């Protein structure tokens, strides 16, 4: 298709959803959730996404859909279909430029290529490290009992501040089983670094705002060399009645939980147990404090 024609073409979107009212919550909160759900359904229905949906990792697909909802939907209109004491149903309409859809897909493809190359490099590093550790099957010199020790750095934010409080939360995500949290950095087998790369609030209308957040958790070896980085990217809608900081805290907590779980999988891959090193399995890499609108 000719590029000049493509730039002028748009795809209409339509979606609907229902949401139950939760006990004790403002009805506006349910309305925010149902608009979010209907907007996702509307973009999800785009036929231009069919091939990508079939082949992509679900998380990567979700990131593309929410990216389009957040940045590419134009003339979004919301109509209430039903509302009573139990639930609310809405429909949304709008359109998306086909050019923007293809740009979003191209951007995702580019990120996947970068992540694939990163995975290849990480696999080599992991294999090399496992070979070395097999020589000490009962543990390392730092941890003779065979436990894996982690040092967790303070969480860094996009505005050049840091938080020990969130580092404590992240530490709890790893602690347990064969993993302990080191009290001294020099005694740790691995270092965990966490970052809030973006926390942006944009008004949708007088009653609703949208929060987008991107976080990253890095696994480094004792010398500071990066082994793996896991990113999480999501946006949520919230009403004017909700506390912005509380919304940000809940979202940040969820994103860090997801990222830490993937890093934990990496640790299990590269660390041997007993006399046998653990098998390498493919892991797919997906690609505050105070929120501000920039």
């Amino acid at each position: 298709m000719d590029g000049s024609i493509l730039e002028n073409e748009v795809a209409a979107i339509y979606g609907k959803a229902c949401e139950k009212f939760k006990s004790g919550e403002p009805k506006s909160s349910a309305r925010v959730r149902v608009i979010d759900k209907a907007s996702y359904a509307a973009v999800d229905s785009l036929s231009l996404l069919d091939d990508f949906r079939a082949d992509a990792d679900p998380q990567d697909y979700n990131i593309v859909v929410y990216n389009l909802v957040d940045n590419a939907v134009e003339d979004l209109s919301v109509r209430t279909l039903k509302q009573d004491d139990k639930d609310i149903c809405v429909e949304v309409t709008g359109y998306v430029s086909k050019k923007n859809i293809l740009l979003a897909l191209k951007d995702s493809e580019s990120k996947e290529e970068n992540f694939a190359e990163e995975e290849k490099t990480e696999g080599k590093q992991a294999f090399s490290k496992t070979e070395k550790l097999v020589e000490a099957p009962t543990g390392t010199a730092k941890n003779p009992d065979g436990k894996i020790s982690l040092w967790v750095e303070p969480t860094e934010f996009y505005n050049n501040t840091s938080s020990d409080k969130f580092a404590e939360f992240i530490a709890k995500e790893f602690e347990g089983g064969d993993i302990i949290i080191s009290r001294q950095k020099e005694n740790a087998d691995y270092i965990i670094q966490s970052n809030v790369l973006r926390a942006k609030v944009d008004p949708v209308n007088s009653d609703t705002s949208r929060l987008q957040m991107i976080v990253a958790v890095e696994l480094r070896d004792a010398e500071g060399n990066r082994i793996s980085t896991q990113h999480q990217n999501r946006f949520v809608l919230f009403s004017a009645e909700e506390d912005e900081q509380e919304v940000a805290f809940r979202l940040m907590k969820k994103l860090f939980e997801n990222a830490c779980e993937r890093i934990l999988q990496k640790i299990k891959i590269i660390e041997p147990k007993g006399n046998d090193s653990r098998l390498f399995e493919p892991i797919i890499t997906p690609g505050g404090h105070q929120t501000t609108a920039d």
Side-chain angles (χ1 to χ4, degrees), residues 9-30:
E9 288 198 348
V10 297
I13 60 170
Y14 171 84
K16 60 182 180 179
C18 295
E19 188 73 21
K20 293 185 180 297
F21 292 119
K22 296 180 181 179
S23 177
E25 77 166 353
K27 290 187 176 181
S28 58
S29 297

Side-chain angles (χ1 to χ4, degrees), residues 48-49 51-53 55-68 99-117 233 284-287:
L48 282 175
L49 297 178
D51 291 342
F52 181 67
R53 183 191 305 108
D55 298 333
D57 176 80
Q59 181 168 340
D60 296 333
Y61 176 74
N62 286 342
I63 289 175
V64 168
V65 173
Y66 280 115
N67 179 36
L68 290 170
K99 174 185 176 182
N100 287 334
I101 297 172
L102 296 183
L103 285 174
L105 292 174
K106 183 177 180 181
D107 180 61
S108 176
E109 181 180 349
S110 175
K111 288 180 180 177
E112 281 301 306
E113 290 175 354
N114 291 337
F115 288 144
E117 184 61 31
N233 181 355
I284 300 175
T285 306

Side-chain angles (χ1 to χ4, degrees), residues 143-282:
N143 299 290
D145 59 359
K147 296 284 186 179
I148 305 164
S149 63
L150 303 181
W151 170 263
V152 181
E153 296 278 11
T155 299
E156 298 288 338
F157 292 86
Y158 55 90
N159 56 0
N160 297 319
T161 60
S162 61
S163 169
D164 289 324
K165 180 179 180 181
F166 238 95
E168 293 175 4
F169 162 76
I170 290 172
K172 290 179 181 178
E173 290 296 299
F174 290 100
E175 192 169 25
D178 293 333
I179 296 178
I180 59 174
I181 303 302
S182 177
R183 294 186 178 183
Q184 294 180 315
K185 186 175 182 178
E186 57 269 25
N187 291 335
D189 295 309
Y190 298 103
I191 299 168
I192 299 294
Q193 294 185 337
S194 56
N195 298 83
V196 178
L197 303 175
R198 181 183 178 96
K200 182 184 179 184
V201 174
D202 292 310
V204 176
N205 53 47
S206 59
D207 298 319
T208 306
S209 295
R210 178 184 291 116
L211 166 66
Q212 181 189 26
M213 187 173 292
I214 304 173
V215 307
V217 176
E218 283 192 352
L219 174 67
R220 293 178 177 267
D221 63 22
E223 289 73 39
N225 301 307
R226 184 176 64 84
I227 297 174
S228 178
T229 302
Q230 302 294 335
H231 292 89
Q232 295 286 313
N233 181 355
R234 183 71 162 88
F235 86 85
V236 294
L237 299 176
F238 64 97
S239 69
E241 299 175 10
E242 295 181 272
D243 182 83
E244 180 179 307
Q245 297 301 313
E246 181 61 28
V247 173
F249 177 82
R250 290 198 304 266
L251 179 58
M252 184 161 48
K253 182 174 180 290
K254 181 61 177 177
L255 295 181
F256 274 134
E257 285 176 350
N258 293 342
C260 288
E261 175 60 29
R262 290 175 178 266
I263 290 293
L264 186 59
Q265 293 173 2
K266 288 287 185 183
I267 295 174
K268 290 179 179 179
I269 288 175
I270 64 178
E271 279 290 342
K273 193 171 184 63
N275 290 313
D276 301 316
S277 59
R278 299 178 184 177
L279 296 177
F280 292 95
E281 298 176 357

